[in-house]
Amino acid sequence: MDMNRGVNRQADTQMRANAIMKAYRMHKWISHGIVLLDIFFLIYMVVFKMDYRIDYVVGGFASLLLTISVFALYGVIAAIAILVKWLGGVKIDKALYEECDPFVYEACLDRLHTIFYKERFAALHVMARYYQGDSRSAEEVLRNINLYKLKGMHKLNYYILMSAICFEKGEGMRAAEFEQSYRRSLRKNKKEQMYFQMLCASNNLFRAMENKDYKAAFDFLAKRKVLDAGKCRKWTYIGYSLWEAKIYAGLGDEKSARLNAEYVLAEGGRLVYVERAKALLREMGSAEKEKFANAKSPDGESESAGVSNG
């Protein structure tokens, strides 16, 4: 039964990935078609319409304006082609960011072939595997990535995932090494500084949870949310909800913890967050049963029932 369910799920994953890649390739070919038409348009205008005689017909200044207009239109059409192709890539990203399915996302990545930016594609594969719950495989790929070829958000994700894996393995002290490594590579611009703050906030959140300092954990989570403002996708909110569930559980607010955990279960798709939310709910259920059992005397009566009223 479990084997059949696994086979069916794998088939569904491949079917969904095929549908996404079909839409992506359509955008890609439309983009290429627009580029070809744009090139033909430029050649036609430059070779056949804009020869030396045009200066005598419309004048030198008008001829200059016409030339600028032609190249400007060429640039606009090229930008449209780039936008169309980008929209195709967004369809792949949505598999993870909106549909919360890292398995479909990786299946789509497997169908992409690129000569350039191989390190970036490897980093995207790492994200897919980590959020599937396969931290070991994610770590193996991370160790083979040439960090110096990663920039911007890709580099940030590298450090965040390596740090998270270290915390999960009980090697949280190594996270400080990653922070120092990132600090040494910082450029003097606001975006890089913000990325570094995001890394520190994420690592400090792990540290606060390890130390059971739930108030500090809530503060670090709030800081991370502020740094992420305007860039959050659905899967990000689900991750935040899982953190909030853990913090509320640590503070003893089981109602809020359950609400957040149930949101993760309902909207988390196939992210590893779903299994972690289930584990948290099981822990809370076991703790509640144990608390209820300890509140009773050995003969099954409540301890308070044996207290004299006078």
Side-chain angles (χ1 to χ4, degrees):
M1 187 71 176
D2 290 339
M3 184 178 293
N4 290 335
R5 189 182 296 114
V7 170
N8 290 336
R9 175 161 284 190
Q10 182 67 19
D12 290 341
T13 297
Q14 297 303 320
M15 243 166 74
R16 179 66 185 134
N18 288 336
I20 292 173
M21 292 307 297
K22 183 178 179 180
Y24 167 77
R25 291 189 183 101
M26 183 179 296
H27 278 77
K28 182 179 177 180
W29 287 116
I30 291 173
S31 172
H32 290 172
I34 293 172
V35 169
L36 284 175
L37 289 175
D38 202 16
I39 292 171
F40 289 146
F41 163 76
L42 184 63
I43 293 172
Y44 174 76
M45 291 300 296
V46 171
V47 175
F48 298 103
K49 293 296 183 181
M50 297 176 61
D51 59 16
Y52 67 94
R53 291 171 294 180
I54 199 169
D55 289 341
Y56 297 104
V57 177
V58 300
F61 182 69
S63 174
L64 176 63
L65 290 179
L66 180 61
T67 302
I68 293 172
S69 299
V70 168
F71 280 95
L73 182 58
Y74 172 82
V76 170
I77 297 174
I80 292 172
I82 293 170
L83 177 62
V84 169
K85 187 174 181 181
W86 176 79
L87 290 173
V90 167
K91 292 184 178 296
I92 296 175
D93 292 339
K94 279 186 175 181
L96 178 61
Y97 300 151
E98 300 296 335
E99 297 176 15
C100 302
D101 196 331
F103 295 91
V104 170
Y105 182 64
E106 185 174 26
C108 290
L109 293 177
D110 288 338
R111 289 163 170 75
L112 291 174
H113 304 286
T114 179
I115 299 174
F116 306 104
Y117 306 118
K118 290 187 177 181
E119 304 300 318
R120 294 185 186 182
F121 270 90
L124 294 177
H125 274 281
V126 168
M127 286 179 58
R129 293 182 187 181
Y130 178 80
Y131 291 107
Q132 290 169 14
D134 190 357
S135 296
R136 179 178 296 179
S137 175
E139 184 179 11
E140 289 176 1
V141 177
L142 279 171
R143 292 187 183 281
N144 292 320
I145 289 178
N146 184 350
L147 177 58
Y148 298 104
K149 292 186 178 181
L150 297 179
K151 296 180 180 179
M153 187 61 72
H154 296 285
K155 183 170 74 171
L156 173 65
N157 286 332
Y158 173 93
Y159 280 108
I160 284 180
L161 291 177
M162 281 297 288
S163 298
I165 291 169
C166 286
F167 279 111
E168 290 169 7
K169 292 168 61 179
E171 301 174 359
M173 293 297 293
R174 293 189 58 204
E177 299 175 13
F178 293 123
E179 290 170 11
Q180 291 301 319
S181 175
Y182 199 121
R183 187 194 297 274
R184 287 192 296 269
S185 68
L186 280 179
R187 296 178 180 176
K188 293 183 179 179
N189 62 63
K190 290 183 179 179
K191 183 172 285 189
E192 285 281 324
Q193 296 293 331
M194 183 186 69
Y195 287 160
F196 179 66
Q197 291 178 36
M198 291 168 71
L199 173 63
C200 292
S202 296
N203 288 350
N204 287 333
L205 176 56
F206 274 106
R207 293 181 182 109
M209 291 298 291
E210 283 186 348
N211 296 329
K212 297 184 178 180
D213 188 349
Y214 300 112
K215 184 180 181 303
F218 201 86
D219 290 340
F220 289 124
L221 180 59
K223 183 176 181 180
R224 178 62 198 270
K225 286 182 179 180
V226 170
L227 293 168
D228 269 338
K231 299 182 289 296
C232 289
R233 309 281 186 90
K234 182 179 178 181
W235 75 315
T236 310
Y237 288 119
I238 291 169
Y240 289 156
S241 293
L242 180 60
W243 278 115
E244 288 177 354
K246 291 179 178 180
I247 292 170
Y248 283 126
L251 292 171
D253 185 350
E254 292 190 1
K255 182 178 180 181
S256 297
R258 286 184 182 279
L259 284 173
N260 280 280
E262 287 167 2
Y263 169 74
V264 175
L265 293 181
E267 301 293 336
R270 298 170 71 186
L271 292 170
V272 67
Y273 296 144
V274 172
E275 293 303 319
R276 293 175 182 176
K278 288 179 182 178
L280 178 62
L281 288 172
R282 284 195 298 268
E283 289 174 13
M284 290 170 59
S286 299
E288 189 175 347
K289 288 179 182 178
E290 185 177 349
K291 182 179 178 182
F292 181 74
N294 290 338
K296 290 188 174 183
S297 61
D299 60 358
E301 294 293 326
S302 172
E303 290 181 358
S304 60
V307 177
S308 172
N309 291 325

